[in-house]
């Protein structure tokens, strides 16, 4: 049995890009968002080895700390020829490389080392797991993905993170070259959204949000 999400919700992220996307997605459903960053909540350690486990860790920690329902996302880029890396370590790889241009160059170098030049050897997907945790321990999790290829060199200055590297299947522009609405807008006719996060959100909205 799904539970309805209403009123004030803590969005358990310290990532400005993701917070902006989530606010845009939640706004039409009358959910009032306050972010874990604004509340200065400590960031829990993401010790899970799946996106869903890490989303749940973040949502449960924020819900416990605030006694409010909390919403968290865990996401990342999985590169097929790199055995799914960076995967759940996408944020860590970026931190360790120092900048997104640097981590994108690192991924390109790893692909080149393996001779991955043709599109079929450069397959990748973004995954988003969304978790909502309530103070009484109830939780809901939704996960989805978007498949595509990695381009060289990265293209575009929109979006955030690994966006310039990722060309979604069926498109000619990378996420970095798309407007926010193209990337994570929700089609008015109810058809499937494009980004991993928007797709997971569509499932969440259907189950837990007022129309
Ligand atoms: P986390 O979910 O906060 O652990 O971090 C996810 C990592 O994947 C960060 O490095 C993000 O920049 C990256 N990432 C997640 N979603 C996207 C996206 O839609 N575009 C580009 N990078 C993303």
């Amino acid at each position: 049995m799904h539970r309805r999400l209403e009123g004030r919700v803590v969005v358990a992220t310290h990532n400005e890009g993701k917070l902006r996307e989530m606010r845009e997605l939640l706004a039409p459903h009358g959910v009032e968002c306050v972010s874990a960053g604004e509340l200065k909540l400590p960031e829990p350690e993401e010790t899970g080895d799946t996106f869903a486990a890490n989303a749940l860790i973040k949502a449960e920690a924020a819900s416990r700390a605030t006694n409010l329902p909390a919403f968290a996302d865990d996401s990342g880029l999985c590169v097929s020829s790199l055995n799914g890396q960076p995967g759940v370590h996408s944020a860590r790889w970026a931190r360790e490389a120092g900048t997104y241009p640097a981590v994108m160059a690192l991924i390109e170098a790893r692909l080149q080392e393996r001779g991955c030049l043709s599109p079929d050897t450069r397959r990748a997907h973004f995954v988003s797991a969304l978790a909502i945790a309530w103070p009484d321990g109830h939780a809901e999790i939704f996960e989805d993905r978007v498949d595509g290829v990695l381009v060289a060199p990265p293209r575009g200055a929109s979006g955030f993170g690994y966006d310039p590297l990722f060309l979604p299947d069926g498109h000619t522009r990378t996420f970095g070259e798309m407007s926010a609405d193209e990337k994570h807008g929700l089609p008015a006719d109810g058809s499937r959204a494009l980004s991993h996060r928007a797709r997971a959100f569509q499932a969440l909205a259907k189950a837990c949000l007022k129309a």
Side-chain angles (χ1 to χ4, degrees):
M1 192 48 189
H2 292 300
R3 187 183 288 184
R4 182 67 58 89
L5 182 67
E6 311 179 280
R8 277 183 99 203
V9 171
V10 183
V11 178
T13 181
H14 290 68
N15 177 317
E16 284 299 320
K18 288 204 296 191
L19 177 63
R20 198 169 51 241
E21 284 196 7
M22 288 324 313
R23 279 214 159 117
E24 285 170 18
L25 289 169
L26 284 167
H29 299 276
V31 173
E32 188 199 333
C33 292
V34 27
S35 88
E38 286 159 357
L39 295 176
K40 305 212 175 347
L41 300 183
E43 284 186 81
E45 229 192 301
E46 295 176 29
T47 50
D49 53 15
T50 63
F51 293 104
N54 283 331
L56 197 57
I57 288 171
K58 290 186 269 193
E60 285 178 337
S63 180
R64 264 197 309 273
T66 58
N67 212 30
L68 286 170
F71 176 93
D73 145 279
D74 196 60
S75 55
L77 178 71
C78 303
V79 183
S80 304
S81 293
L82 304 182
N83 299 320
Q85 289 181 297
V88 293
H89 303 302
S90 296
R92 183 185 305 169
W93 276 36
R95 262 196 316 275
E96 288 176 2
T99 64
Y100 279 98
V103 74
M104 290 190 284
L106 174 72
I107 289 174
E108 183 57 34
R110 298 264 168 98
L111 288 172
Q112 299 269 340
E113 278 163 19
R114 289 164 175 73
C116 298
L117 301 176
S118 61
D120 59 310
T121 59
R122 300 173 62 88
R123 302 286 307 158
H125 57 272
F126 276 116
V127 177
S128 168
L130 303 179
I132 313 173
W134 279 263
D136 68 358
H138 181 79
E140 307 256 1
I141 300 189
F142 304 89
E143 186 172 300
D144 211 333
R145 62 189 264 171
V146 55
D147 289 88
V149 294
L150 300 186
V151 299
R155 303 195 318 242
S158 306
F160 67 98
Y162 297 89
D163 277 345
L165 203 53
F166 186 78
L167 180 66
D169 288 343
H171 290 260
T172 55
R173 281 168 305 133
T174 67
F175 272 176
E177 295 172 307
M178 291 185 180
S179 67
D181 196 49
E182 285 174 277
K183 181 188 166 195
H184 64 259
L186 302 178
D189 64 1
S191 58
R192 201 170 185 218
L194 181 57
S195 84
H196 47 314
R197 200 161 6 264
R199 287 175 174 178
F201 186 81
Q202 283 179 315
L204 180 152
K206 205 166 157 204
C208 300
L209 294 176
K210 275 197 289 232

